[in-house]
Amino acid sequence: MFDFSKPLGDVIGQLFIIALLIVLAIFVITTIFKAIRIIPQAYAGIVERLGRYHKTLTPGLNILVPFIDRLRPLVDMREQVVSFPPQPVITEDNLVVSIDTVVFFQVTDARAATYEIANYLGAVEQLTTTTLRNVVGGLNLEEALTSRDNINNQLRAVLDESTGKWGIRVGRVELKAIDPPVSIQDSMEKQMRAERDRRAAILTAEGTKQSQILEAEGMRQSEILKAEGDAKAAVLRAQGEAEAIQTVFNAIHLGNPDSKLLAYQYLQTLPKLAEGDANKLWIIPSELTEALKGIGQGFFMPRDPAAQ
């Protein structure tokens, strides 16, 4: 407490000492706060001492010299994904296409990313646009639409090589979309529709052809099987008739037939000779004539007088 009974000069001196102590306490607290820096994980800090690069702070607790060391804005060391707006690119066949690009990159050297380039994000965007125009400018529209992997690899190789001195590693470059002019899109759609119709017609014709081939093959196999069946049936009939004739022949000869029996057998055979419209000529063996004589003698033989 102030003792106002004392002279005014002493009171002012006490107030000055108190204010000085307060300022000193604030200075000490500020100095402590400036001396202690906590760097989050996946970030890096650049320290400048008297305006020159001093060191790179790693994640965790770090001590600085107050009022001498200065900490620059933290650098994000994580992989970053940047989508650039669509860029107009002229192809080799003088068509303007709009290409949307995505770049995956990561800062590997915080010092180089801080001092080697003023704005590494803008530099990556401009370098991507320039490289994209150089790569796609050497391709026609069809090649650009069908060679995305090749374009991605070329872009990544060029960007990674160019940004290495900036402390940046380009991991991947992807083309999100390649949009040709509207008139070209209509033409491509018509061409694709015509191609689909052509393929459908070809498939239909191939199906019809295969169906006809299979049907003809089936008919051929059916005719072959039918002919083979008829041939086997004719052979079997011939074999049966041959066996029947052989059986009859053996039976006749084993029975020692006389001329009358042979004549009777010949007479039974005559109707079979007359079968069919193509039988215009009959061949009669001489044995048949002799047999008929024997039969005639048997029918017209004079009676025995004794029998009368």
Side-chain angles (χ1 to χ4, degrees):
M1 297 295 294
F2 296 104
D3 188 1
F4 294 99
S5 61
K6 294 182 178 181
L8 182 59
D10 294 339
V11 173
I12 295 175
Q14 291 179 357
L15 291 176
F16 178 76
I17 293 173
I18 292 173
L20 184 62
L21 291 175
I22 293 175
V23 171
L24 182 61
I26 293 175
F27 176 77
V28 171
I29 294 174
T30 304
T31 301
I32 293 173
F33 273 104
K34 284 183 173 293
I36 298 175
R37 287 290 184 270
I38 298 176
I39 306 299
Q41 184 66 35
Y43 286 86
I46 301 298
V47 177
E48 294 178 347
R49 178 167 292 180
L50 299 176
R52 299 184 62 181
Y53 170 77
H54 176 59
K55 64 179 179 179
T56 301
L57 300 183
T58 57
L61 180 63
N62 296 271
I63 304 299
L64 302 180
V65 178
F67 306 106
I68 296 178
D69 293 341
R70 184 174 73 94
L71 180 64
R72 292 180 64 92
L74 299 181
V75 180
D76 193 347
M77 305 296 290
R78 296 172 297 179
E79 186 173 12
Q80 302 180 44
V81 181
V82 180
S83 178
F84 301 127
Q87 300 292 328
V89 180
I90 301 177
T91 61
E92 187 181 20
D93 45 359
N94 296 323
L95 294 176
V96 179
V97 295
S98 179
I99 301 180
D100 193 0
T101 312
V102 178
V103 179
F104 298 78
F105 69 93
Q106 182 179 11
V107 177
T108 57
D109 187 352
R111 178 181 179 277
T114 303
Y115 294 108
E116 297 295 334
I117 188 72
N119 181 7
Y120 63 83
L121 185 59
V124 170
E125 179 180 359
Q126 295 300 322
L127 184 60
T128 302
T129 302
T130 304
T131 307
L132 180 63
R133 289 175 178 173
N134 291 335
V135 173
V136 178
L139 304 174
N140 56 40
L141 179 60
E142 184 177 358
E143 292 174 345
L145 293 175
T146 58
S147 305
R148 290 196 178 190
D149 291 339
N150 186 22
I151 297 174
N152 294 338
N153 293 332
Q154 292 187 43
L155 287 175
R156 192 203 66 79
V158 174
L159 291 176
D160 191 29
E161 181 180 359
S162 300
T163 58
K165 62 180 180 180
W166 301 338
I168 297 175
R169 180 183 63 84
V170 178
R172 191 170 57 193
V173 180
E174 296 290 342
L175 301 183
K176 291 177 58 177
I178 301 178
D179 298 325
V182 178
S183 58
I184 299 300
Q185 292 182 10
D186 295 339
S187 300
M188 293 173 60
E189 185 177 356
K190 293 179 181 179
Q191 182 180 1
M192 292 176 61
R193 189 183 301 113
E195 181 67 18
R196 287 194 296 267
D197 294 341
R198 184 182 68 84
R199 292 181 180 179
I202 291 175
L203 292 177
T204 302
E206 287 291 336
T208 304
K209 175 183 176 182
Q210 292 295 329
S211 175
Q212 293 177 353
I213 290 174
L214 292 176
E215 184 178 357
E217 183 67 20
M219 294 179 62
R220 187 177 70 86
Q221 293 292 337
S222 176
E223 294 294 334
I224 291 174
L225 293 176
K226 182 178 179 181
E228 291 179 351
D230 294 340
K232 290 181 180 180
V235 170
L236 292 177
R237 285 195 299 269
Q239 290 178 353
E241 292 178 357
E243 291 177 357
I245 293 173
Q246 185 67 32
T247 301
V248 173
F249 180 79
N250 292 334
I252 292 175
H253 285 277
L254 289 175
N256 193 15
D258 54 7
S259 59
K260 294 180 180 181
L261 179 58
L262 292 176
Y264 178 72
Q265 290 295 331
Y266 281 131
L267 289 176
Q268 286 184 337
T269 306
L270 287 178
K272 294 184 179 181
L273 294 177
E275 293 179 357
D277 299 334
N279 294 328
K280 304 298 182 180
L281 178 64
W282 292 3
I283 301 175
I284 300 177
S286 59
E287 290 83 355
L288 178 58
T289 305
E290 297 297 332
L292 291 176
K293 290 181 179 180
I295 293 175
Q297 292 177 359
F299 280 107
F300 299 103
M301 183 180 296
R303 296 181 179 181
D304 188 3
Q308 295 178 352

